[in-house]
Amino acid sequence: MIKRKDFLKFFNVFYMSNLVTSSSNMNVLNNDSTNELNVSKNLIKDQYSNSSSEIGLKKTLIRKLFKYYKNDSMKPDLSTILDLSVSNIDKGIICSPIAKKKEYEKYIEYLELTDSSNWSCTTMSERPGFFLMRGMFSKKNQMKWIKKCLVEYPENGALTNLNPNGEKNDSNIFFNYGKKLRWVTKGYDYNWITKEYPKQQTSIFPKEFSLIFELICLILNLEDTKGDTAIINYYPRKATLSVHTDHSERRLDKPLVSLSFGQSAVFLLGGQSEEDNVDPILLNSGDIMVMHEKQRLAYHAVPKIINTTKFEKKEFDEIPDNILEYSNNNRVNITIRQCD
């Protein structure tokens, strides 16, 4: 966990260790005495974050870390990211197997999940309501979800960034506009301008979204929950997700379930304030992250996409080359929520 008082020390140690490798690293320091990170003049302009959205914002802890991890001219030290694959009692990280239960079998069969003996769940003592589940999706199943996100979910009149006002979409969205696709909404179609949801569902909510949400809540003993809306985000290599909270749903007492596929993301998890302590986490393909209770309204962001997963052609000979190439260079993220 990175605390506000530790940030300057954390950054200066890293800066000095990298100074000899590139004189251009001087550009990442401000001219003031606090040595805060500069706001880059060349922030990537994409659907999630651009330079204009950052101008004038207070340089809070989570925003400083966002710029630190996003910086490509001086590669950030990824060893600072928490390892949630194993328990670390000193840091309050507990990684436990998920007990097998007969109730899970129908979900495993329909969703083609791995045997529940492979599942694990990581918690952090300082973050009640945070859960990270791993081992549920085989690599073959990960590719299946990626393919659906590319060639199925954007179709049949779905609301996307390519038709944000609801005008009729062309068919074959991915094959015609794949590199421009940034988001798709399902269930209650989120209005990106007003930041509000409609009063009733406006599009088809996939059964598999409902079932995976239901299964996760069953594992965590969260009762009276029902996933009814989702946003699918598509992250090219240099895409980011700005610092924000998810507060538009009318049922904020219900969890947010996030599925990651494709390449990995550096995920910054803060607190109720932008100055609260921040945990940098690496979300990998097949990971399921849950934000509930105090974590449901925590500030968070994605400053960087990292290539960590390779989908080999010999393993996926039946998958079209453009889908395979996309999977090896991009991240797809499905966040499922309960709006009503």
Side-chain angles (χ1 to χ4, degrees):
M1 179 175 287
I2 299 175
K3 302 178 181 180
R4 177 177 171 80
K5 66 179 181 179
D6 297 331
F7 176 75
L8 185 57
K9 178 181 177 182
F10 161 76
F11 173 70
N12 280 341
V13 169
F14 173 72
Y15 168 71
M16 293 305 295
S17 67
N18 283 273
L19 185 61
V20 295
T21 64
S22 173
S23 60
S24 64
N25 288 344
M26 289 297 293
N27 294 328
V28 301
L29 292 181
N30 273 338
N31 292 326
D32 59 40
S33 60
T34 61
N35 284 343
E36 292 178 341
L37 289 173
N38 262 333
V39 177
S40 171
K41 294 181 180 179
N42 297 309
L43 287 174
I44 300 301
K45 293 184 178 181
D46 57 52
Q47 183 65 31
Y48 312 107
S49 175
N50 56 55
S51 55
S52 62
S53 67
E54 300 291 334
I55 293 174
L57 292 175
K58 182 181 178 182
K59 294 179 181 178
T60 57
L61 175 59
I62 193 169
R63 293 185 187 277
K64 291 175 185 176
L65 287 168
F66 180 91
K67 294 180 179 69
Y68 167 74
Y69 283 106
K70 185 181 185 299
N71 195 307
D72 283 325
S73 63
M74 185 176 70
K75 293 184 179 180
D77 181 6
L78 299 182
S79 68
T80 56
I81 296 174
L82 286 179
D83 181 3
L84 298 185
S85 62
V86 293
S87 296
N88 186 323
I89 303 301
D90 292 338
K91 294 183 178 180
I93 298 171
I94 304 297
C95 183
S96 306
I98 296 174
K100 295 186 68 169
K101 290 186 178 181
K102 189 173 181 61
E103 299 96 298
Y104 303 159
E105 292 179 1
K106 66 176 183 179
Y107 300 98
I108 293 173
E109 181 179 2
Y110 186 88
L111 297 169
E112 299 179 10
L113 302 175
T114 64
D115 187 86
S116 56
S117 61
N118 298 305
W119 303 355
S120 68
C121 181
T122 299
T123 59
M124 292 189 282
S125 60
E126 294 190 20
R127 290 195 176 276
F130 170 87
F131 306 91
L132 183 63
M133 298 183 184
R134 287 176 165 162
M136 300 178 76
F137 295 99
S138 66
K139 205 166 185 181
K140 181 179 179 180
N141 202 6
Q142 292 170 34
M143 177 57 70
K144 180 179 178 179
W145 279 78
I146 293 172
K147 184 178 179 182
K148 279 177 169 286
C149 288
L150 296 178
V151 302
E152 180 178 328
Y153 301 143
E155 300 293 323
N156 301 316
L159 194 66
T160 76
N161 63 292
L162 302 172
N163 66 335
N165 297 316
E167 59 270 24
K168 186 177 180 181
N169 244 338
D170 293 333
S171 57
N172 298 319
I173 299 299
F174 171 68
F175 295 103
N176 292 326
Y177 309 102
K179 292 184 178 180
K180 296 181 179 179
L181 186 62
R182 291 293 180 270
W183 55 261
V184 175
T185 56
K186 291 292 182 181
Y188 291 78
D189 289 318
Y190 183 66
N191 188 312
W192 297 85
I193 298 176
T194 65
K195 308 297 183 184
E196 295 177 341
Y197 286 97
K199 293 183 179 180
Q200 59 187 12
Q201 282 191 337
T202 45
S203 63
I204 296 173
F205 189 67
K207 182 178 180 180
E208 54 268 30
F209 287 12
S210 178
L211 288 178
I212 193 67
F213 188 91
E214 191 175 302
L215 172 61
I216 298 306
C217 292
L218 179 63
I219 293 171
L220 298 176
N221 295 315
L222 303 179
E223 299 179 349
D224 300 321
T225 55
K226 182 180 180 181
D228 57 19
T229 194
I231 298 176
I232 308 167
N233 285 331
Y234 302 82
Y235 291 81
R237 176 66 179 81
K238 292 188 176 181
T240 62
L241 179 66
S242 298
V243 176
H244 71 288
T245 62
D246 290 293
H247 57 267
S248 297
E249 293 76 24
R250 291 181 281 273
R251 294 303 305 269
L252 296 175
D253 57 323
K254 303 301 181 182
L256 183 150
V257 175
S258 171
L259 314 180
S260 294
F261 299 108
Q263 301 313 305
S264 300
V266 175
F267 182 83
L268 301 180
L269 181 58
Q272 306 297 308
S273 162
E274 290 193 27
E275 291 291 6
D276 286 345
N277 299 338
V278 178
D279 284 310
I281 299 165
L282 194 65
L283 296 179
N284 299 315
S285 189
D287 284 357
I288 301 177
M289 181 183 67
V290 181
M291 296 171 67
H292 186 44
E293 297 176 331
K294 289 185 177 181
Q295 307 312 310
R296 181 62 178 81
L297 289 175
Y299 280 93
H300 56 280
V302 174
K304 185 176 286 293
I305 304 300
I306 301 174
N307 280 60
T308 60
T309 303
K310 182 68 174 178
F311 295 93
E312 299 285 353
K313 180 64 177 176
K314 61 183 179 181
E315 297 179 72
F316 301 99
D317 188 55
E318 76 285 1
I319 299 297
D321 288 345
N322 56 349
I323 293 180
L324 197 62
E325 180 185 3
Y326 188 95
S327 304
N328 282 322
N329 291 283
N330 299 267
R331 175 183 185 242
V332 178
N333 175 227
I334 306 171
T335 52
I336 308 172
R337 313 110 188 277
Q338 182 170 341
C339 186
D340 277 331

